[in-house]
């Protein structure tokens, strides 16, 4: 046993001398168990390649995972999965379509799962292409005070989004931030919707 340890220590010293051209007795102290203690200059990784592994400590090699993305960008793939999860029918994506979707000036009603609802006039729609970051900015007046609320379109807590009223003539620009505190500003939207529903009845 003693001879085998001495031979192992001699082989290790020869290896270090051949690789680094430095006397190993200055850099390492070799223990009887065959482990090398790292010093300040030489990396322990090089010595580990020389020390053989035990059979019971070999790493487990697993099979590679199947390729689901097919070399697609990870962020785009993630957004597609989220869109499929939160909007499987595509109804909400159609709601913000550039041609047939909601425009600034429309009045919409948002109903949540806890049966609360929010009604307001759309003044801006932030569209994110193939992303769940799309949101709608609503404006209303409560007690003559302007109130705004940003509605995330793909919020899982939203039950339904309904277009209540579309004006006959739209104001210019897709984002109508300029109507704040002007003659074009919105009024009490909820009261306006009640009057419109009574007229149609």
């Amino acid at each position: 046993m003693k001879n085998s340890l001495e031979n192992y220590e001699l082989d290790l010293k020869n290896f270090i001398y051949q690789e680094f051209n430095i006397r190993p007795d200055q850099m390492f102290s070799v223990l009887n168990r065959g482990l090398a203690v790292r010093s300040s200059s030489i990396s322990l990784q090089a010595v580990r390649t020389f020390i053989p592994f035990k059979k019971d400590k070999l790493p487990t090699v697993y099979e590679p995972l199947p390729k689901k993305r097919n070399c697609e960008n990870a962020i785009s793939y993630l957004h597609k999965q989220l869109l499929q999860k939160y909007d499987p029918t595509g109804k909400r994506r159609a709601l913000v379509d550039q041609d047939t979707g909601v425009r600034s000036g429309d009045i919409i009603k948002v109903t949540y799962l806890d049966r609360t609802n929010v009604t307001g006039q759309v003044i801006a729609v932030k569209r994110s292409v193939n992303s769940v970051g799309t949101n709608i900015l609503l404006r209303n007046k409560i007690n003559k005070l302007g109130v705004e609320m940003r509605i995330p379109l793909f919020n899982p807590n939203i039950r339904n989004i309904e277009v209540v009223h579309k004006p006959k003539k739209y104001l210019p620009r897709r984002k109508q931030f300029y109507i704040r505190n002007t003659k074009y500003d919105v009024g009490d939207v909820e009261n306006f919707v009640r009057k419109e529903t009574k007229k149609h009845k």
Side-chain angles (χ1 to χ4, degrees), residues 16-190:
I16 295 172
Y17 182 77
Q18 291 175 3
E19 290 291 327
F20 304 103
N21 199 17
I22 299 174
R23 288 194 305 167
D25 55 341
Q26 295 179 353
M27 309 301 294
F28 289 91
S29 61
V30 181
L31 303 179
N32 292 331
R33 294 182 181 179
L35 297 177
V37 179
R38 188 177 67 175
S39 67
S40 59
S41 300
I42 300 178
S43 174
L44 185 61
Q45 188 66 29
V47 181
R48 283 178 178 170
T49 58
F50 177 77
I51 300 174
F53 289 100
K54 293 183 179 180
K55 290 184 178 180
D56 56 344
K57 291 187 178 181
L58 287 175
T60 306
V61 179
Y62 299 96
E63 295 182 1
L65 295 174
K67 294 183 179 180
K68 294 183 178 180
R69 294 191 287 115
N70 294 326
C71 300
E72 186 181 359
N73 183 273
I75 301 299
S76 301
Y77 177 78
L78 176 62
H79 282 306
K80 285 183 180 179
Q81 295 294 318
L82 292 175
L83 288 172
Q84 188 65 27
K85 178 181 179 181
Y86 295 121
D87 188 27
T89 59
K91 182 180 178 181
R92 296 190 184 181
R93 276 173 279 183
L95 193 65
V96 291
D97 186 71
Q98 292 279 1
D99 301 324
T100 60
V102 173
R103 293 179 57 184
S104 295
D106 295 342
I107 296 176
I108 65 173
K109 181 180 180 181
V110 182
T111 306
Y112 290 89
L113 293 177
D114 57 355
R115 297 183 180 180
T116 59
N117 57 73
V118 177
T119 306
Q121 179 176 320
V122 179
I123 63 172
V125 179
K126 182 183 178 182
R127 295 177 175 87
S128 299
V129 181
N130 295 328
S131 173
V132 292
T134 304
N135 56 70
I136 301 172
L137 183 62
L138 301 182
R139 183 171 176 82
N140 194 0
K141 272 196 175 179
I142 300 174
N143 295 329
K144 298 182 180 180
L145 180 66
V147 179
E148 293 182 2
M149 185 174 183
R150 193 172 293 276
I151 307 295
L153 187 66
F154 300 102
N155 186 354
N157 295 323
I158 294 176
R159 175 182 292 176
N160 186 32
I161 300 177
E162 178 187 0
V163 180
V164 180
H165 176 75
K166 284 181 174 288
K168 295 180 180 179
K169 186 178 180 181
Y170 288 93
L171 293 174
R173 298 184 188 177
R174 291 188 175 182
K175 295 185 178 180
Q176 299 175 356
F177 301 118
Y178 64 90
I179 69 172
R180 295 167 178 160
N181 301 322
T182 63
K183 64 178 182 179
Y184 303 108
D185 201 357
V186 300
D188 190 348
V189 177
E190 294 182 356

Side-chain angles (χ1 to χ4, degrees), residues 6-16 50:
E6 290 177 356
N7 293 334
Y8 180 79
E9 183 178 355
L10 182 61
D11 293 338
L12 182 60
K13 288 181 179 180
N14 292 333
F15 168 75
I16 295 172
F50 177 77

